[in-house]
Amino acid sequence: MAKRIVIDPVTRIEGHLRVEVEVKNGMVVDAWTKGTMFRGLEQIIQGKDPRDAVYITERICGVCMASHGWTSAMAVENAHGAVLPTVARLIRNLLVGALWLHDHPLHFYHLSVLDYLDVLAIKDYQGKDQNLLSVKDKIMKLVEMGDTAPLTPRYEPDDYSVRDPEIVATALSHYFQALKIQAKAKKLSAILGGKQPHQSSIIVGGVTGYPNDEQLEQFEQLLEEIVDFIKNIYVPDVVYFATGPLLPLAKSGLGKGPGNYLAYGAFPMNDSGKKKLFPGGFIQSGQTKIQEIDVAKITEDVTSSWYKESPIANPWDSFTEVDLNKNGAYTFVKSPRYNGLSSEVGPMSRMLVAEHKPFLQFIKEYSIRPGAVARHLARAQETILVADAMFKWLEELKGLLEQRKYLTDGKVYIHDSQHWDPPQSGRGAGLNEAPRGALGHWVEIEDHKVKNYQMVVPTTWNVSPRDNKGIPGPIEQALIGMPVDPNNPVNLVRVIRSFDPCLACAVHVISSEGDRMIQI
Ligand code: NFE
Ligand code: MG
C-alpha cells in the first residue's frame, strides 16, 4: 500500500510550500506541490501608473526584488519601444548582478548544504585549527541550550551525509563566513540601488543616477572581497561535494525534472540587448536543438489552481481571480507552459541553453546527470560568470564616467515625454532572468494606466501543478520516481531545495480583507 508523506511547510526555502508524495516500495509514485498562500500583487497594480509597477512588484519578495524592478521596467519600456542609455544598462547589470552574488552562495550554505551534513559530528573534531574549534564551541553551546534548529534539519543524516568531523567543521565555518558575505553583497547592490532590500534607483527609462568616485571605489573593494569568497570557497565547496560524497547521487540524476529547459536570457552586453551574458532559448526533452524563444508560446493554465476557470492564454490575456471552491484545484500557483510543455527554469536550464562548455565538460567528465546535484553545480558555475562580468561592466562604467561623456551627450534615463510619460495604450513584455530562473512581466496599458499586469516568475514554472492534460509541474516530475526512505524523507527536501523555490514570488499578499493571509 502506498504511504503518503506530507511536508508542510518545506523549511529553508522562501515562502510557504506544502509537498505531498505517495511512496510505494521505497519509490515516490506521485507528487503534488502546493502553494498555500494567496498574495495578489497583480491586482494591486491594476489602475496604477505603469511606472509605479517597478516599486510595487519589487515588494513581491525580499530576495530577488531588483530582478522584479528591472523586469517591470523592461515591460513598460517594451510598450514604449525605448532603448536605454549605456550607463543605465551597466548600472542595472551591476546592481542586479550583486543580487545574484548574494543569492547563490546563500542558497548553498544557508538553505541546502545542511541536507548533506551530519552537523553534530562536529563534536568529534579534535584538530587544532582555532577557527574550527571556535565553530565547534559555537555549535556545542547551541546543543547545551537545546537550540540547534537553525543548523540541524528536521530529517536525520543518511548514507550520503558527510560525517567526517573536519569536513563538517569546515563546511560550518564557511556557513558562518557566508553570512558575512551576504551582508557585504547587500551593501554592494545598495551602493547603486539607493537601499536594500527594495532598491529605488531603477526607473522606467533607465536609472536615477550614477555613482561618484568614492562609491565606485567602495563597490570595487566589496566586489573583490565577495568574488574572492565565491571563487576560493563557495565554488570549490560545491565541486567538492558534487564530485566527492554526493557523486553517487549526482550520477544517478536524482531529482531530474521534465527534461524541457527554458531560459529567457539576461544581462545585456550591448545597448540593443541582442547579446546577453546568458542567452535565451528552449530545449525540448529528447532534442538537442536550442529553439529561439517565442513569447507567443508562453501560456498560463489554471486547471489545478484556485483561480477562476479561464482559457489557456498568453499572460497578456490572462487574469488572476481567486476561486477557492474549484474542483480539483490544490494550489495558488498557476501552470505556465512553453509550447504546452512543463518546463524547468533556473541555473541548470541557463547553462544547458548557453551550451556552456566548462559546465558540459565537467558533468561529462564525472558522468553527472541532470538532477539535484547538477543544479548546485550549474548555480556555482554561473556565479563565476556573473562575477567575472561584474568586473567588466564596472570597468566599462568607469571608462564612461571618466570621459564625463554622460554629462554632455548622455543621460542615465530617457526623459523626453515620448518615452517618459506612460503611453496612452499599448502592451509590453519584459523577459528576463532572476536568480531562480526565467522571469516575465506582462503589462497592458489603457488610458495611461495599467489595465492588466501579469507576472510569471521562476518558481511559478518550477512549482507549477498539473495542467489541463494532467502533466505535473517540474518539481512534481522531479519527485516522481525517486527513491525515498518513508521514515526519513531527506531525499525529498534535497531535490526540492535544489530548485531554490521562492513561494512568495510564485503566488504573488495580502487578502483584500486587509492584513490577514489566506491559509488553506
Ligand atoms: Ni522570491 Fe524570485 C528569483 C523571482 S522567484 S526569489 O530568483 O522572480 O522564483
Ligand atoms: Mg502571475
Side-chain angles (χ1 to χ4, degrees), residues 14 60-64 67-68 103 434-437 439 457-460 500-502 504-506:
E14 171 69 14
I60 201 168
C61 175
V63 187
C64 61
S67 300
H68 283 282
D103 211 353
R436 285 157 195 75
L439 169 65
V457 317
T459 300
T460 320
D500 194 5
C502 170
C505 278

mmCIF file with all atom_site columns, all heavy atoms in Angstrom, residues 14 60-64 67-68 103 434-437 439 457-460 500-502 504-506, ligand 1:
data_model
loop_
_atom_site.group_PDB
_atom_site.id
_atom_site.type_symbol
_atom_site.label_atom_id
_atom_site.label_alt_id
_atom_site.label_comp_id
_atom_site.label_asym_id
_atom_site.label_entity_id
_atom_site.label_seq_id
_atom_site.pdbx_PDB_ins_code
_atom_site.Cartn_x
_atom_site.Cartn_y
_atom_site.Cartn_z
_atom_site.occupancy
_atom_site.B_iso_or_equiv
_atom_site.pdbx_formal_charge
_atom_site.auth_seq_id
_atom_site.auth_comp_id
_atom_site.auth_asym_id
_atom_site.auth_atom_id
_atom_site.pdbx_PDB_model_num
ATOM   1   N  N   . GLU A 1 14  ? 12.067 30.048 0.567   1.00 0.00 ? 14  GLU A N   1
ATOM   2   C  CA  . GLU A 1 14  ? 11.344 31.301 0.753   1.00 0.00 ? 14  GLU A CA  1
ATOM   3   C  C   . GLU A 1 14  ? 9.846  31.032 0.570   1.00 0.00 ? 14  GLU A C   1
ATOM   4   O  O   . GLU A 1 14  ? 9.441  30.425 -0.412  1.00 0.00 ? 14  GLU A O   1
ATOM   5   C  CB  . GLU A 1 14  ? 11.877 32.305 -0.283  1.00 0.00 ? 14  GLU A CB  1
ATOM   6   C  CG  . GLU A 1 14  ? 11.119 33.581 -0.407  1.00 0.00 ? 14  GLU A CG  1
ATOM   7   C  CD  . GLU A 1 14  ? 11.263 34.480 0.813   1.00 0.00 ? 14  GLU A CD  1
ATOM   8   O  OE1 . GLU A 1 14  ? 12.155 34.244 1.635   1.00 0.00 ? 14  GLU A OE1 1
ATOM   9   O  OE2 . GLU A 1 14  ? 10.457 35.407 0.923   1.00 0.00 ? 14  GLU A OE2 1
ATOM   10  N  N   . ILE A 1 60  ? 7.257  41.925 -3.960  1.00 0.00 ? 60  ILE A N   1
ATOM   11  C  CA  . ILE A 1 60  ? 6.855  40.524 -4.043  1.00 0.00 ? 60  ILE A CA  1
ATOM   12  C  C   . ILE A 1 60  ? 7.726  39.665 -3.126  1.00 0.00 ? 60  ILE A C   1
ATOM   13  O  O   . ILE A 1 60  ? 7.315  38.624 -2.639  1.00 0.00 ? 60  ILE A O   1
ATOM   14  C  CB  . ILE A 1 60  ? 6.965  40.053 -5.512  1.00 0.00 ? 60  ILE A CB  1
ATOM   15  C  CG1 . ILE A 1 60  ? 6.113  38.828 -5.770  1.00 0.00 ? 60  ILE A CG1 1
ATOM   16  C  CG2 . ILE A 1 60  ? 8.383  39.806 -5.925  1.00 0.00 ? 60  ILE A CG2 1
ATOM   17  C  CD1 . ILE A 1 60  ? 5.966  38.512 -7.247  1.00 0.00 ? 60  ILE A CD1 1
ATOM   18  N  N   . CYS A 1 61  ? 8.952  40.106 -2.879  1.00 0.00 ? 61  CYS A N   1
ATOM   19  C  CA  . CYS A 1 61  ? 9.931  39.211 -2.271  1.00 0.00 ? 61  CYS A CA  1
ATOM   20  C  C   . CYS A 1 61  ? 11.097 40.023 -1.721  1.00 0.00 ? 61  CYS A C   1
ATOM   21  O  O   . CYS A 1 61  ? 11.353 41.127 -2.183  1.00 0.00 ? 61  CYS A O   1
ATOM   22  C  CB  . CYS A 1 61  ? 10.413 38.269 -3.386  1.00 0.00 ? 61  CYS A CB  1
ATOM   23  S  SG  . CYS A 1 61  ? 11.717 37.172 -2.912  1.00 0.00 ? 61  CYS A SG  1
ATOM   24  N  N   . GLY A 1 62  ? 11.799 39.443 -0.754  1.00 0.00 ? 62  GLY A N   1
ATOM   25  C  CA  . GLY A 1 62  ? 12.967 40.134 -0.209  1.00 0.00 ? 62  GLY A CA  1
ATOM   26  C  C   . GLY A 1 62  ? 14.270 39.613 -0.773  1.00 0.00 ? 62  GLY A C   1
ATOM   27  O  O   . GLY A 1 62  ? 15.340 40.006 -0.349  1.00 0.00 ? 62  GLY A O   1
ATOM   28  N  N   . VAL A 1 63  ? 14.188 38.692 -1.719  1.00 0.00 ? 63  VAL A N   1
ATOM   29  C  CA  . VAL A 1 63  ? 15.413 38.092 -2.251  1.00 0.00 ? 63  VAL A CA  1
ATOM   30  C  C   . VAL A 1 63  ? 15.724 38.605 -3.657  1.00 0.00 ? 63  VAL A C   1
ATOM   31  O  O   . VAL A 1 63  ? 16.802 39.102 -3.921  1.00 0.00 ? 63  VAL A O   1
ATOM   32  C  CB  . VAL A 1 63  ? 15.317 36.543 -2.282  1.00 0.00 ? 63  VAL A CB  1
ATOM   33  C  CG1 . VAL A 1 63  ? 16.661 35.953 -2.672  1.00 0.00 ? 63  VAL A CG1 1
ATOM   34  C  CG2 . VAL A 1 63  ? 14.882 36.001 -0.948  1.00 0.00 ? 63  VAL A CG2 1
ATOM   35  N  N   . CYS A 1 64  ? 14.749 38.482 -4.543  1.00 0.00 ? 64  CYS A N   1
ATOM   36  C  CA  . CYS A 1 64  ? 15.029 38.775 -5.955  1.00 0.00 ? 64  CYS A CA  1
ATOM   37  C  C   . CYS A 1 64  ? 14.354 40.071 -6.395  1.00 0.00 ? 64  CYS A C   1
ATOM   38  O  O   . CYS A 1 64  ? 14.006 40.224 -7.554  1.00 0.00 ? 64  CYS A O   1
ATOM   39  C  CB  . CYS A 1 64  ? 14.556 37.623 -6.829  1.00 0.00 ? 64  CYS A CB  1
ATOM   40  S  SG  . CYS A 1 64  ? 12.790 37.361 -6.697  1.00 0.00 ? 64  CYS A SG  1
ATOM   41  N  N   . SER A 1 67  ? 15.404 42.131 -9.395  1.00 0.00 ? 67  SER A N   1
ATOM   42  C  CA  . SER A 1 67  ? 15.094 41.461 -10.667 1.00 0.00 ? 67  SER A CA  1
ATOM   43  C  C   . SER A 1 67  ? 13.684 41.827 -11.106 1.00 0.00 ? 67  SER A C   1
ATOM   44  O  O   . SER A 1 67  ? 13.419 42.032 -12.298 1.00 0.00 ? 67  SER A O   1
ATOM   45  C  CB  . SER A 1 67  ? 15.171 39.938 -10.515 1.00 0.00 ? 67  SER A CB  1
ATOM   46  O  OG  . SER A 1 67  ? 16.455 39.551 -10.123 1.00 0.00 ? 67  SER A OG  1
ATOM   47  N  N   . HIS A 1 68  ? 12.756 41.901 -10.125 1.00 0.00 ? 68  HIS A N   1
ATOM   48  C  CA  . HIS A 1 68  ? 11.386 42.284 -10.479 1.00 0.00 ? 68  HIS A CA  1
ATOM   49  C  C   . HIS A 1 68  ? 11.321 43.738 -10.929 1.00 0.00 ? 68  HIS A C   1
ATOM   50  O  O   . HIS A 1 68  ? 10.638 44.065 -11.905 1.00 0.00 ? 68  HIS A O   1
ATOM   51  C  CB  . HIS A 1 68  ? 10.438 42.027 -9.298  1.00 0.00 ? 68  HIS A CB  1
ATOM   52  C  CG  . HIS A 1 68  ? 10.097 40.582 -9.153  1.00 0.00 ? 68  HIS A CG  1
ATOM   53  N  ND1 . HIS A 1 68  ? 9.176  39.950 -9.954  1.00 0.00 ? 68  HIS A ND1 1
ATOM   54  C  CD2 . HIS A 1 68  ? 10.601 39.631 -8.334  1.00 0.00 ? 68  HIS A CD2 1
ATOM   55  C  CE1 . HIS A 1 68  ? 9.117  38.665 -9.616  1.00 0.00 ? 68  HIS A CE1 1
ATOM   56  N  NE2 . HIS A 1 68  ? 9.972  38.452 -8.635  1.00 0.00 ? 68  HIS A NE2 1
ATOM   57  N  N   . ASP A 1 103 ? 22.678 35.892 -3.624  1.00 0.00 ? 103 ASP A N   1
ATOM   58  C  CA  . ASP A 1 103 ? 21.664 34.847 -3.569  1.00 0.00 ? 103 ASP A CA  1
ATOM   59  C  C   . ASP A 1 103 ? 22.214 33.422 -3.698  1.00 0.00 ? 103 ASP A C   1
ATOM   60  O  O   . ASP A 1 103 ? 21.796 32.516 -2.989  1.00 0.00 ? 103 ASP A O   1
ATOM   61  C  CB  . ASP A 1 103 ? 20.675 35.110 -4.715  1.00 0.00 ? 103 ASP A CB  1
ATOM   62  C  CG  . ASP A 1 103 ? 19.278 34.650 -4.358  1.00 0.00 ? 103 ASP A CG  1
ATOM   63  O  OD1 . ASP A 1 103 ? 19.108 34.034 -3.308  1.00 0.00 ? 103 ASP A OD1 1
ATOM   64  O  OD2 . ASP A 1 103 ? 18.354 34.903 -5.153  1.00 0.00 ? 103 ASP A OD2 1
ATOM   65  N  N   . ALA A 1 434 ? 15.801 35.900 -13.314 1.00 0.00 ? 434 ALA A N   1
ATOM   66  C  CA  . ALA A 1 434 ? 16.087 36.159 -11.905 1.00 0.00 ? 434 ALA A CA  1
ATOM   67  C  C   . ALA A 1 434 ? 16.994 35.024 -11.449 1.00 0.00 ? 434 ALA A C   1
ATOM   68  O  O   . ALA A 1 434 ? 17.166 34.039 -12.188 1.00 0.00 ? 434 ALA A O   1
ATOM   69  C  CB  . ALA A 1 434 ? 14.784 36.181 -11.115 1.00 0.00 ? 434 ALA A CB  1
ATOM   70  N  N   . PRO A 1 435 ? 17.584 35.107 -10.260 1.00 0.00 ? 435 PRO A N   1
ATOM   71  C  CA  . PRO A 1 435 ? 18.485 34.015 -9.863  1.00 0.00 ? 435 PRO A CA  1
ATOM   72  C  C   . PRO A 1 435 ? 17.846 32.631 -9.988  1.00 0.00 ? 435 PRO A C   1
ATOM   73  O  O   . PRO A 1 435 ? 18.518 31.666 -10.343 1.00 0.00 ? 435 PRO A O   1
ATOM   74  C  CB  . PRO A 1 435 ? 18.797 34.341 -8.400  1.00 0.00 ? 435 PRO A CB  1
ATOM   75  C  CG  . PRO A 1 435 ? 18.641 35.831 -8.313  1.00 0.00 ? 435 PRO A CG  1
ATOM   76  C  CD  . PRO A 1 435 ? 17.564 36.206 -9.275  1.00 0.00 ? 435 PRO A CD  1
ATOM   77  N  N   . ARG A 1 436 ? 16.535 32.542 -9.741  1.00 0.00 ? 436 ARG A N   1
ATOM   78  C  CA  . ARG A 1 436 ? 15.881 31.223 -9.779  1.00 0.00 ? 436 ARG A CA  1
ATOM   79  C  C   . ARG A 1 436 ? 15.380 30.815 -11.157 1.00 0.00 ? 436 ARG A C   1
ATOM   80  O  O   . ARG A 1 436 ? 14.822 29.728 -11.303 1.00 0.00 ? 436 ARG A O   1
ATOM   81  C  CB  . ARG A 1 436 ? 14.729 31.186 -8.763  1.00 0.00 ? 436 ARG A CB  1
ATOM   82  C  CG  . ARG A 1 436 ? 15.222 31.079 -7.371  1.00 0.00 ? 436 ARG A CG  1
ATOM   83  C  CD  . ARG A 1 436 ? 14.245 31.583 -6.333  1.00 0.00 ? 436 ARG A CD  1
ATOM   84  N  NE  . ARG A 1 436 ? 14.968 31.746 -5.090  1.00 0.00 ? 436 ARG A NE  1
ATOM   85  C  CZ  . ARG A 1 436 ? 15.828 32.747 -4.834  1.00 0.00 ? 436 ARG A CZ  1
ATOM   86  N  NH1 . ARG A 1 436 ? 16.026 33.692 -5.747  1.00 0.00 ? 436 ARG A NH1 1
ATOM   87  N  NH2 . ARG A 1 436 ? 16.475 32.813 -3.713  1.00 0.00 ? 436 ARG A NH2 1
ATOM   88  N  N   . GLY A 1 437 ? 15.547 31.682 -12.145 1.00 0.00 ? 437 GLY A N   1
ATOM   89  C  CA  . GLY A 1 437 ? 15.166 31.268 -13.493 1.00 0.00 ? 437 GLY A CA  1
ATOM   90  C  C   . GLY A 1 437 ? 14.418 32.342 -14.274 1.00 0.00 ? 437 GLY A C   1
ATOM   91  O  O   . GLY A 1 437 ? 14.408 33.522 -13.909 1.00 0.00 ? 437 GLY A O   1
ATOM   92  N  N   . LEU A 1 439 ? 12.093 34.905 -15.749 1.00 0.00 ? 439 LEU A N   1
ATOM   93  C  CA  . LEU A 1 439 ? 11.124 35.796 -15.104 1.00 0.00 ? 439 LEU A CA  1
ATOM   94  C  C   . LEU A 1 439 ? 10.493 36.685 -16.172 1.00 0.00 ? 439 LEU A C   1
ATOM   95  O  O   . LEU A 1 439 ? 11.206 37.323 -16.944 1.00 0.00 ? 439 LEU A O   1
ATOM   96  C  CB  . LEU A 1 439 ? 11.835 36.666 -14.060 1.00 0.00 ? 439 LEU A CB  1
ATOM   97  C  CG  . LEU A 1 439 ? 11.023 37.831 -13.483 1.00 0.00 ? 439 LEU A CG  1
ATOM   98  C  CD1 . LEU A 1 439 ? 9.823  37.308 -12.692 1.00 0.00 ? 439 LEU A CD1 1
ATOM   99  C  CD2 . LEU A 1 439 ? 11.891 38.711 -12.587 1.00 0.00 ? 439 LEU A CD2 1
ATOM   100 N  N   . VAL A 1 457 ? 6.742  34.041 -12.688 1.00 0.00 ? 457 VAL A N   1
ATOM   101 C  CA  . VAL A 1 457 ? 8.069  34.065 -12.073 1.00 0.00 ? 457 VAL A CA  1
ATOM   102 C  C   . VAL A 1 457 ? 8.694  32.669 -12.121 1.00 0.00 ? 457 VAL A C   1
ATOM   103 O  O   . VAL A 1 457 ? 8.008  31.675 -12.382 1.00 0.00 ? 457 VAL A O   1
ATOM   104 C  CB  . VAL A 1 457 ? 7.994  34.612 -10.628 1.00 0.00 ? 457 VAL A CB  1
ATOM   105 C  CG1 . VAL A 1 457 ? 7.090  35.817 -10.537 1.00 0.00 ? 457 VAL A CG1 1
ATOM   106 C  CG2 . VAL A 1 457 ? 7.550  33.557 -9.644  1.00 0.00 ? 457 VAL A CG2 1
ATOM   107 N  N   . PRO A 1 458 ? 10.009 32.596 -11.862 1.00 0.00 ? 458 PRO A N   1
ATOM   108 C  CA  . PRO A 1 458 ? 10.679 31.288 -11.962 1.00 0.00 ? 458 PRO A CA  1
ATOM   109 C  C   . PRO A 1 458 ? 9.996  30.187 -11.160 1.00 0.00 ? 458 PRO A C   1
ATOM   110 O  O   . PRO A 1 458 ? 9.818  29.068 -11.652 1.00 0.00 ? 458 PRO A O   1
ATOM   111 C  CB  . PRO A 1 458 ? 12.079 31.575 -11.397 1.00 0.00 ? 458 PRO A CB  1
ATOM   112 C  CG  . PRO A 1 458 ? 12.286 33.042 -11.564 1.00 0.00 ? 458 PRO A CG  1
ATOM   113 C  CD  . PRO A 1 458 ? 10.952 33.691 -11.535 1.00 0.00 ? 458 PRO A CD  1
ATOM   114 N  N   . THR A 1 459 ? 9.630  30.509 -9.909  1.00 0.00 ? 459 THR A N   1
ATOM   115 C  CA  . THR A 1 459 ? 9.053  29.438 -9.087  1.00 0.00 ? 459 THR A CA  1
ATOM   116 C  C   . THR A 1 459 ? 7.669  29.039 -9.590  1.00 0.00 ? 459 THR A C   1
ATOM   117 O  O   . THR A 1 459 ? 7.225  27.911 -9.365  1.00 0.00 ? 459 THR A O   1
ATOM   118 C  CB  . THR A 1 459 ? 9.069  29.846 -7.597  1.00 0.00 ? 459 THR A CB  1
ATOM   119 O  OG1 . THR A 1 459 ? 10.442 30.065 -7.223  1.00 0.00 ? 459 THR A OG1 1
ATOM   120 C  CG2 . THR A 1 459 ? 8.482  28.781 -6.697  1.00 0.00 ? 459 THR A CG2 1
ATOM   121 N  N   . THR A 1 460 ? 6.974  29.946 -10.281 1.00 0.00 ? 460 THR A N   1
ATOM   122 C  CA  . THR A 1 460 ? 5.689  29.544 -10.874 1.00 0.00 ? 460 THR A CA  1
ATOM   123 C  C   . THR A 1 460 ? 5.935  28.413 -11.872 1.00 0.00 ? 460 THR A C   1
ATOM   124 O  O   . THR A 1 460 ? 5.163  27.449 -11.930 1.00 0.00 ? 460 THR A O   1
ATOM   125 C  CB  . THR A 1 460 ? 5.006  30.729 -11.582 1.00 0.00 ? 460 THR A CB  1
ATOM   126 O  OG1 . THR A 1 460 ? 5.182  31.908 -10.811 1.00 0.00 ? 460 THR A OG1 1
ATOM   127 C  CG2 . THR A 1 460 ? 3.536  30.466 -11.799 1.00 0.00 ? 460 THR A CG2 1
ATOM   128 N  N   . ASP A 1 500 ? 15.702 25.757 -5.448  1.00 0.00 ? 500 ASP A N   1
ATOM   129 C  CA  . ASP A 1 500 ? 15.683 27.034 -4.728  1.00 0.00 ? 500 ASP A CA  1
ATOM   130 C  C   . ASP A 1 500 ? 14.317 27.724 -4.871  1.00 0.00 ? 500 ASP A C   1
ATOM   131 O  O   . ASP A 1 500 ? 14.235 28.869 -5.323  1.00 0.00 ? 500 ASP A O   1
ATOM   132 C  CB  . ASP A 1 500 ? 16.804 27.940 -5.290  1.00 0.00 ? 500 ASP A CB  1
ATOM   133 C  CG  . ASP A 1 500 ? 17.070 29.136 -4.394  1.00 0.00 ? 500 ASP A CG  1
ATOM   134 O  OD1 . ASP A 1 500 ? 16.474 29.222 -3.304  1.00 0.00 ? 500 ASP A OD1 1
ATOM   135 O  OD2 . ASP A 1 500 ? 17.866 30.002 -4.803  1.00 0.00 ? 500 ASP A OD2 1
ATOM   136 N  N   . PRO A 1 501 ? 13.228 27.039 -4.480  1.00 0.00 ? 501 PRO A N   1
ATOM   137 C  CA  . PRO A 1 501 ? 11.919 27.657 -4.710  1.00 0.00 ? 501 PRO A CA  1
ATOM   138 C  C   . PRO A 1 501 ? 11.677 28.900 -3.857  1.00 0.00 ? 501 PRO A C   1
ATOM   139 O  O   . PRO A 1 501 ? 12.188 28.992 -2.741  1.00 0.00 ? 501 PRO A O   1
ATOM   140 C  CB  . PRO A 1 501 ? 10.920 26.560 -4.306  1.00 0.00 ? 501 PRO A CB  1
ATOM   141 C  CG  . PRO A 1 501 ? 11.685 25.442 -3.740  1.00 0.00 ? 501 PRO A CG  1
ATOM   142 C  CD  . PRO A 1 501 ? 13.146 25.743 -3.806  1.00 0.00 ? 501 PRO A CD  1
ATOM   143 N  N   . CYS A 1 502 ? 10.927 29.828 -4.392  1.00 0.00 ? 502 CYS A N   1
ATOM   144 C  CA  . CYS A 1 502 ? 10.508 31.010 -3.632  1.00 0.00 ? 502 CYS A CA  1
ATOM   145 C  C   . CYS A 1 502 ? 9.010  31.164 -3.827  1.00 0.00 ? 502 CYS A C   1
ATOM   146 O  O   . CYS A 1 502 ? 8.562  31.667 -4.858  1.00 0.00 ? 502 CYS A O   1
ATOM   147 C  CB  . CYS A 1 502 ? 11.228 32.266 -4.085  1.00 0.00 ? 502 CYS A CB  1
ATOM   148 S  SG  . CYS A 1 502 ? 10.481 33.723 -3.349  1.00 0.00 ? 502 CYS A SG  1
ATOM   149 N  N   . ALA A 1 504 ? 6.912  33.013 -2.120  1.00 0.00 ? 504 ALA A N   1
ATOM   150 C  CA  . ALA A 1 504 ? 6.416  34.392 -2.007  1.00 0.00 ? 504 ALA A CA  1
ATOM   151 C  C   . ALA A 1 504 ? 6.269  34.973 -3.407  1.00 0.00 ? 504 ALA A C   1
ATOM   152 O  O   . ALA A 1 504 ? 5.274  35.623 -3.736  1.00 0.00 ? 504 ALA A O   1
ATOM   153 C  CB  . ALA A 1 504 ? 7.375  35.223 -1.178  1.00 0.00 ? 504 ALA A CB  1
ATOM   154 N  N   . CYS A 1 505 ? 7.245  34.716 -4.241  1.00 0.00 ? 505 CYS A N   1
ATOM   155 C  CA  . CYS A 1 505 ? 7.184  35.210 -5.619  1.00 0.00 ? 505 CYS A CA  1
ATOM   156 C  C   . CYS A 1 505 ? 6.113  34.478 -6.425  1.00 0.00 ? 505 CYS A C   1
ATOM   157 O  O   . CYS A 1 505 ? 5.381  35.076 -7.200  1.00 0.00 ? 505 CYS A O   1
ATOM   158 C  CB  . CYS A 1 505 ? 8.524  34.998 -6.307  1.00 0.00 ? 505 CYS A CB  1
ATOM   159 S  SG  . CYS A 1 505 ? 9.741  36.259 -5.961  1.00 0.00 ? 505 CYS A SG  1
ATOM   160 N  N   . ALA A 1 506 ? 6.054  33.165 -6.221  1.00 0.00 ? 506 ALA A N   1
ATOM   161 C  CA  . ALA A 1 506 ? 5.225  32.349 -7.107  1.00 0.00 ? 506 ALA A CA  1
ATOM   162 C  C   . ALA A 1 506 ? 3.731  32.594 -6.929  1.00 0.00 ? 506 ALA A C   1
ATOM   163 O  O   . ALA A 1 506 ? 2.970  32.473 -7.886  1.00 0.00 ? 506 ALA A O   1
ATOM   164 C  CB  . ALA A 1 506 ? 5.522  30.876 -6.885  1.00 0.00 ? 506 ALA A CB  1
HETATM 165 NI NI1 . NFE B 2 .   ? 11.379 35.500 -4.413  1.00 0.00 ? 1   NFE B NI1 1
HETATM 166 FE FE1 . NFE B 2 .   ? 12.418 35.058 -7.442  1.00 0.00 ? 1   NFE B FE1 1
HETATM 167 C  C1  . NFE B 2 .   ? 14.009 34.646 -8.024  1.00 0.00 ? 1   NFE B C1  1
HETATM 168 C  C2  . NFE B 2 .   ? 11.785 35.810 -8.909  1.00 0.00 ? 1   NFE B C2  1
HETATM 169 S  S1  . NFE B 2 .   ? 11.000 33.507 -7.528  1.00 0.00 ? 1   NFE B S1  1
HETATM 170 S  S2  . NFE B 2 .   ? 13.033 34.872 -5.313  1.00 0.00 ? 1   NFE B S2  1
HETATM 171 O  O1  . NFE B 2 .   ? 15.011 34.381 -8.245  1.00 0.00 ? 1   NFE B O1  1
HETATM 172 O  O2  . NFE B 2 .   ? 11.375 36.325 -9.786  1.00 0.00 ? 1   NFE B O2  1
HETATM 173 O  O3  . NFE B 2 .   ? 11.333 32.245 -8.338  1.00 0.00 ? 1   NFE B O3  1
#
